[in-house]
Amino acid sequence: NLSAWSHGWRALTHGYIFNILSDVFWPLRCGFGLESLDACSGDNVSVTRGVVSRIDVNAESLLRFQIDAAINPGNSGGPVFDKTFAVVGIASSHLKRATNIGYVIPAETVKLFLEQAVGQDGFRGVAKAWLSYTQSLESPWLRRRLKLPADQTGGIRIGAVEPLGPSFGKLEVDDVLLAIDGCPVARDGTVVLRGQERIAFQYCITRRPAGTTMEASVWRDGAVHDIKITTQAPLYIAPRHDGWDCNPSYFICGGLVFVPLTAPWAKAKKLGSLLDRYRGMIKTDGQQVVMLSKILAHDANFGCVHCTMETLKHGPLTLTPSWQHADTITLAATSCRALME
């Protein structure tokens, strides 16, 4: 045994798989010492040690903390302990072309995922309000234009709301978001994490399961309005993954292999620039960017061997996951050059 786990955690023995669904205590602060455990090399356990350098959110606005303990290939998925041997997170990744900048998924985030994963509906994704653009209100001139009173010192401007999101029709452009579930939003777009620590306001949304309700306090037309919004997992034009326990979808016709654009596919083909071109949420139901991924030998595509990795010209086509517009793609097989850029 290493030590009795604090706050209800069980004693850790070699080979024991801990139950992270029990109560998690997360006492980390910047400067706290941590140890990352890994058993990926040989039969022995290797341990690296470091301190918490920063606490912030990642690209999905999920909580994470940065440590200076080395996280190398193969370390991902190993537990991270504090000085009392309580598991406080899971080693995640490191910053490339940098020294000792690693990132840890906190136990709070892991618990949120596992509680949904073992539930009846499974993991539904990260909770979002689908606010595509917000603006800080540190400018006194902008605050005056939005007619904010002098005693109202916080808030951020809502610049755009996604048309298919849960906030559409409830939040409007030029609304000022003052608080989420009673937690005030500062004019720089941050909220209090603990004490004097601050973090991006999106954390107040992503810390809950998708499908749950949050209450947004907004300034509109000279008054404060409390609006309830049911959070929803994001639906990206280029999905970040292919799904859970599933294979990528594809369609073959006349030797042409069509696939929907996803982040895993673009990275595998080294076409990351496409993700910058097609970023953001979907604008219409079932919208997909369809790519011509490969051309197999077939009489219908004779002479088109150099046309792979192209997007369809008359698109991006709006295709449902069941490929209900496959007849359009079938016509493309007989004149694929006219349908490709």
Side-chain angles (χ1 to χ4, degrees):
N1 292 353
L2 290 177
S3 173
W5 294 41
S6 61
H7 301 276
W9 287 83
R10 293 180 52 182
L12 179 65
T13 57
H14 187 67
Y16 169 69
I17 300 178
F18 56 88
N19 178 17
I20 203 165
L21 290 181
S22 61
D23 292 336
V24 176
F25 179 67
W26 187 57
L28 291 184
R29 298 185 185 279
C30 290
F32 266 36
L34 290 180
E35 295 184 357
S36 177
L37 182 148
D38 171 45
C40 66
S41 177
D43 298 325
N44 296 323
V45 173
S46 62
V47 177
T48 56
R49 179 173 296 180
V51 299
V52 179
S53 306
R54 183 174 61 171
I55 300 173
D56 61 0
V57 295
N58 62 12
E60 289 286 347
S61 300
L62 289 168
L63 190 68
R64 71 176 178 183
F65 51 86
Q66 176 185 320
I67 62 175
D68 64 0
I71 297 181
N72 299 309
N75 293 135
S76 301
V80 178
F81 301 94
D82 67 4
K83 59 184 179 181
T84 67
F85 295 104
V87 175
V88 294
I90 293 177
S92 173
S93 62
H94 71 278
L95 186 64
K96 294 182 178 179
R97 295 181 293 276
T99 303
N100 292 348
I101 298 180
Y103 295 100
V104 174
I105 302 172
E108 173 184 306
T109 304
V110 177
K111 181 181 178 183
L112 176 66
F113 167 75
L114 291 180
E115 285 179 336
Q116 296 179 70
V118 300
Q120 182 178 0
D121 297 329
F123 181 66
R124 296 183 296 273
V126 179
K128 298 279 188 177
W130 290 48
L131 302 177
S132 53
Y133 174 68
T134 58
Q135 182 180 7
S136 64
L137 289 180
E138 298 170 299
S139 167
W141 307 105
L142 184 55
R143 299 183 70 84
R144 185 178 304 174
R145 174 186 172 276
L146 296 172
K147 299 179 181 180
L148 284 166
D151 60 347
Q152 189 58 259
T153 59
I156 56 173
R157 173 180 171 268
I158 296 176
V161 180
E162 294 291 345
L164 297 184
S167 298
F168 188 75
K170 295 183 178 182
L171 299 182
E172 302 175 0
V173 175
D174 283 343
D175 279 353
V176 178
L177 181 61
L178 302 176
I180 298 175
D181 292 332
C183 184
V185 179
R187 62 178 66 188
D188 63 350
T190 61
V191 295
V192 173
L193 179 62
R194 294 171 308 187
Q196 299 300 315
E197 298 175 73
R198 305 195 68 85
I199 198 168
F201 79 93
Q202 291 91 340
Y203 167 65
C204 290
I205 303 173
T206 60
R207 65 183 301 179
R208 74 192 72 226
T212 56
T213 301
M214 72 176 204
E215 184 175 85
S217 299
V218 299
W219 176 268
R220 180 193 302 166
D221 298 330
V224 177
H225 303 267
D226 293 326
I227 302 172
K228 293 187 181 297
I229 299 172
T230 301
T231 59
Q232 181 182 330
L235 297 175
Y236 295 107
I237 296 177
R240 304 290 176 87
H241 46 72
D242 294 310
W244 294 272
D245 296 328
C246 67
N247 296 318
S249 58
Y250 62 91
F251 179 81
I252 301 178
C253 183
L256 305 182
V257 182
F258 298 94
V259 299
L261 174 63
T262 64
W265 181 88
K267 291 177 181 178
K269 299 296 184 180
K270 298 182 179 180
L271 296 173
S273 59
L274 282 173
L275 301 180
D276 295 328
R277 180 178 177 184
Y278 296 108
R279 63 171 54 190
M281 309 286 191
I282 62 174
K283 308 302 180 185
T284 58
D285 285 331
Q287 180 182 9
Q288 287 181 315
V289 178
V290 178
M291 302 294 300
L292 176 58
S293 177
K294 201 170 189 178
I295 297 181
L296 306 176
H298 195 281
D299 292 342
N301 61 55
F302 184 75
C304 299
V305 293
H306 301 295
C307 300
T308 57
M309 310 308 175
E310 298 286 348
T311 55
L312 297 187
K313 183 176 182 180
H314 297 296
L317 291 181
T318 300
L319 300 178
T320 65
S322 60
W323 302 91
Q324 71 175 18
H325 296 284
D327 55 335
T328 304
I329 298 180
T330 302
L331 294 177
T334 59
S335 57
C336 60
R337 283 190 180 276
L339 286 175
M340 294 183 291
E341 294 179 336

